Amino acid sequence: MILAPRFLPRLAALVGLCAMLCSAQDPAPEAPVVEVAPAQALEEWYQRFKPRDAFWRGSKTELSNLLKDVQLQAQRSPDDMRAAGRVLLDLAGLRATRVPRREDFGGGSDRQRTRRSAFETLDALARGPAGTQIVSWMADEILSSKTQNSTERRRMALFFVQRQRPERGKIALLSVARDPRDPLRPDVLTTLATWPDEAVDLFLVGLIGRKFDKTQRPHPFNLLLARVRDAEHPLGQRASAALEDRLKLMLISTNWRHASRAIELARGLAPERQVPLLIDALSAWTRRERGGGGSRRILDDVVRELRRISGRSVGRNPKNWITWWIAVRQGKAKLADESTPEQQEARTQAAFFGLRPVTDKVTFVIDYSGSMANEWGTQGHSRYVEAIEQMMKFLQATGEETRFNVILFSSEPLRSSPHLVRATAGTLMRARDSMLMREPNGGTRLRPAVELALRLDRDGNVDPERLEADTVIVLCDGETEEGRGWVQPLLTRIQAEAQVKFHCVLIGSNGDGTLETLAGETGGDFIRIGG
């Protein structure tokens, strides 16, 4: 049937009405709402913030809400912590260049506020009921895997593993410590030195027997020394036996630096292990001294250690110490305790302003700044001349077998010779005449003189093959231009290799702590005198 044209408008209206009715009865489905997980939302926020390094409108409030959501989700289901944990570690460790300390989260920049907020969320989770599970996950999946995680993320994980020490943390730390190319290795080694555990102790002892790679810090000696000084947690039986085997060889080594390190490390052993090693070392170094190849300082260090353990002073003869030790084993003599008065023993007749260091390889570092021209007491000569005379008397008393050199310092250091020379009468006369020809002048810059005495290379490292002296004697009459802030970092970096003792004399009362730190940190003596 064909409709007439006049009916077409009515038909169109009817069709439209039907469509409206159908639409009302069967509405079109809405687009589904996709709920974004809190961890994913936080990750998206982090990816927006990272290139900006600054907040944008509303982002600070958004971050606060996201962190609350993530924390609630993690508390409800610790197993779902992985995704949230990674982004929290990324935020807290954003552009961190070291394993953080709490003070690193201060400051008012947008980045610091972001880091602090993420850290506080992580801290709350780590201290919560599931804290051990969460930090164990950090050890297993973050710290152990350098290929799957950024260094910044792993540094943050190490912070929490250090603090809470989960059982699985030890395995992760040892894994990192065995990889010399892992950027976290230095921090991990430092952590292991404070982690009392038999497996860790055995690992640290094992490092001592290897040749030291200067590109790998910290030095194994510093690590193990820090561990054996922990009196509250002594080494276990297996680690003690392994250390005893190492020290037995080091103490009688012809390399005096090996023996010096071993004397300190031996304090980590019980007396029944330590004393026989020291007596054997005393015998070996005494024989070498008679043959002209010994070390006066090592002999003195061994005897002083035996005197500390025994509370007795029986000289340097190994037979006397053997007799005493037999008496101890038979119950006829006792070891020293805290109530035992310290036994003093004349160490040497050679003295320098009252100091009596025992050495046959020494560098003198003498102040010749302008103030050293001041008169010395009523002697009719200057402080500088008195220092020269004291040095001459010391070297004459130690004998011609002693080798020495001299560094004068004021605004710049001057060295008598790059190598140590024997203290013959002719050498001493030439040294004295050369020093007396110089008039004190200039400032008091001690640091360059100490670095010259240690023969540091351009990178500030010590080369034991070039450094001949085992003792450095420093004399200064006042505050130094640099202060003492440089001393501790320098010694931390080089002393494990150098094994040098500093003995220091301060004339007057205007010191700044530099000389005390040099002596105290290296086992040397410090004395302050008038004049």
Side-chain angles (χ1 to χ4, degrees):
M1 180 179 61
I2 300 176
L3 294 176
R6 65 177 179 274
F7 292 112
L8 291 177
R10 295 179 182 179
L11 179 61
L14 182 61
V15 171
L17 178 62
C18 291
M20 290 177 61
L21 291 174
C22 291
S23 174
Q25 293 175 0
D26 187 17
E30 296 181 1
V33 177
V34 179
E35 183 177 350
V36 179
Q40 182 181 342
L42 185 60
E43 173 67 29
E44 292 172 357
W45 189 97
Y46 167 65
Q47 294 301 334
R48 291 181 66 189
F49 178 85
K50 189 175 180 180
R52 299 168 182 243
D53 212 20
F55 292 131
W56 59 95
R57 181 176 295 180
S59 62
K60 190 175 179 182
T61 300
E62 183 183 0
L63 174 63
S64 178
N65 292 332
L66 286 171
L67 290 175
K68 290 177 183 177
D69 292 343
V70 164
Q71 185 173 347
L72 287 172
Q73 183 186 31
Q75 288 171 339
R76 287 196 302 263
S77 178
D79 290 337
D80 295 335
M81 176 65 188
R82 288 175 172 80
R86 288 187 176 90
V87 68
L88 285 172
L89 290 168
D90 288 339
L91 282 167
L94 184 61
R95 294 185 174 87
T97 57
R98 66 178 185 183
V99 177
R101 306 184 182 100
R102 277 194 171 272
E103 58 266 27
D104 291 345
F105 298 102
S109 69
D110 289 355
R111 183 199 304 170
Q112 288 302 95
R113 291 175 182 174
T114 299
R115 292 188 65 195
R116 182 165 59 250
S117 297
F119 171 77
E120 289 170 352
T121 302
L122 275 171
D123 192 47
L125 291 170
R127 294 180 185 275
T132 299
Q133 181 181 345
I134 290 170
V135 178
S136 295
W137 164 78
M138 292 182 188
D140 291 342
E141 297 192 21
I142 306 299
L143 189 55
S144 295
S145 178
K146 70 177 182 179
T147 58
Q148 301 298 319
N149 299 280
S150 68
T151 301
E152 291 80 6
R153 180 188 290 173
R154 296 174 71 223
R155 284 194 180 110
M156 271 311 310
L158 179 56
F159 172 88
F160 288 101
V161 172
Q162 283 176 336
R163 189 183 72 182
Q164 295 187 223
R165 303 194 174 196
E167 180 60 28
R168 295 209 297 274
K170 172 186 68 178
I171 300 171
L173 292 174
L174 287 172
S175 173
V176 174
R178 291 187 174 101
D179 182 358
R181 294 171 296 180
D182 195 310
L184 260 61
R185 186 174 188 265
D187 295 311
V188 164
L189 287 171
T190 302
T191 299
L192 287 172
T194 63
W195 194 298
D197 179 270
E198 187 84 78
V200 172
D201 291 343
L202 286 167
F203 171 77
L204 294 176
V205 171
L207 294 178
I208 291 296
R210 304 174 189 174
K211 183 176 176 60
F212 175 58
D213 181 354
K214 292 182 181 179
T215 65
Q216 299 293 322
R217 304 235 178 228
H219 196 289
F221 169 76
N222 287 340
L223 297 169
L224 190 54
L225 185 62
R227 176 64 189 91
V228 301
R229 283 177 173 172
D230 183 2
E232 187 178 348
H233 302 97
L235 297 178
Q237 287 296 318
R238 289 191 299 150
S240 293
L243 179 59
E244 182 182 5
D245 289 340
R246 302 273 184 188
L247 299 185
K248 191 178 298 182
L249 298 175
M250 292 173 66
L251 280 165
I252 63 174
S253 167
T254 55
N255 186 318
W256 68 265
R257 287 188 173 89
H258 292 342
S260 177
R261 296 184 192 103
I263 291 168
E264 287 197 73
L265 292 175
R267 290 195 173 195
L269 299 176
E272 58 268 21
R273 293 181 185 270
Q274 182 185 14
V275 171
L277 295 180
L278 292 172
I279 293 176
D280 286 346
L282 181 60
S283 298
W285 285 97
T286 299
R287 288 192 299 271
R288 288 188 189 127
E289 184 184 42
R290 292 170 184 160
S295 167
R296 291 179 193 166
R297 200 197 98 180
I298 293 301
L299 271 173
D300 184 65
D301 287 349
V302 171
V303 171
R304 292 177 73 188
E305 190 66 9
L306 285 168
R307 197 164 64 240
R308 181 190 68 81
I309 296 168
S310 67
R312 295 169 179 257
S313 178
V314 298
R316 287 175 41 179
N317 191 326
K319 292 181 180 179
N320 296 340
W321 289 107
I322 292 172
T323 300
W324 163 78
W325 184 240
I326 291 172
V328 170
R329 304 302 289 173
Q330 292 175 345
K332 298 177 182 179
K334 295 182 178 180
L335 301 175
D337 56 30
E338 293 181 359
S339 64
T340 304
E342 183 177 355
Q343 296 292 315
Q344 299 295 327
E345 186 173 287
R347 294 169 60 187
T348 177
Q349 296 301 313
F352 180 77
F353 288 99
L355 289 178
R356 296 183 181 274
V358 179
T359 178
D360 50 13
K361 295 180 282 289
V362 58
T363 293
F364 282 87
V365 178
I366 305 293
D367 184 355
Y368 85 117
S369 61
S371 57
M372 286 292 286
N374 293 343
E375 187 173 339
W376 173 258
T378 59
Q379 300 300 311
H381 58 238
S382 67
R383 293 174 173 180
Y384 177 61
V385 171
E386 181 65 18
I388 295 171
E389 298 304 326
Q390 291 267 350
M391 185 187 77
M392 290 296 120
K393 291 176 182 178
F394 176 87
L395 291 170
Q396 288 166 354
T398 58
E400 293 190 357
E401 295 303 314
T402 298
R403 294 182 295 132
F404 79 103
N405 67 350
V406 183
I407 295 173
L408 301 179
F409 72 96
S410 57
S411 298
E412 296 293 335
L414 295 172
R415 182 171 57 187
S416 62
S417 64
H419 299 287
L420 304 185
V421 297
R422 290 183 60 190
T424 63
T427 303
L428 294 180
M429 183 179 297
R430 287 190 295 273
R432 183 178 185 277
D433 291 345
S434 175
M435 293 173 71
L436 288 174
M437 288 174 61
R438 302 184 181 278
E439 293 292 332
N441 65 85
T444 311
R445 296 187 65 228
L446 175 59
R447 181 175 182 174
V450 168
E451 292 177 343
L452 189 60
L454 294 170
R455 304 201 66 179
L456 302 187
D457 61 22
R458 292 180 180 178
D459 296 325
N461 296 317
V462 67
D463 182 354
E465 299 300 322
R466 298 175 66 236
L467 176 58
E468 301 171 77
D470 61 22
T471 301
V472 177
I473 299 176
V474 182
L475 178 137
C476 184
D477 75 341
E479 296 181 2
T480 63
E481 293 184 14
E482 307 94 341
R484 66 177 180 180
W486 58 276
V487 177
Q488 188 67 61
L490 171 67
L491 295 177
T492 298
R493 191 175 74 250
I494 63 95
Q495 182 60 6
E497 274 287 277
Q499 291 296 304
V500 169
K501 279 191 181 182
F502 282 85
H503 298 276
C504 301
V505 179
L506 174 64
I507 298 177
S509 58
N510 295 325
D512 55 13
T514 300
L515 301 188
E516 294 95 318
T517 304
L518 278 169
E521 293 296 320
T522 59
D525 297 322
F526 166 81
I527 189 170
R528 184 193 302 267
I529 59 175

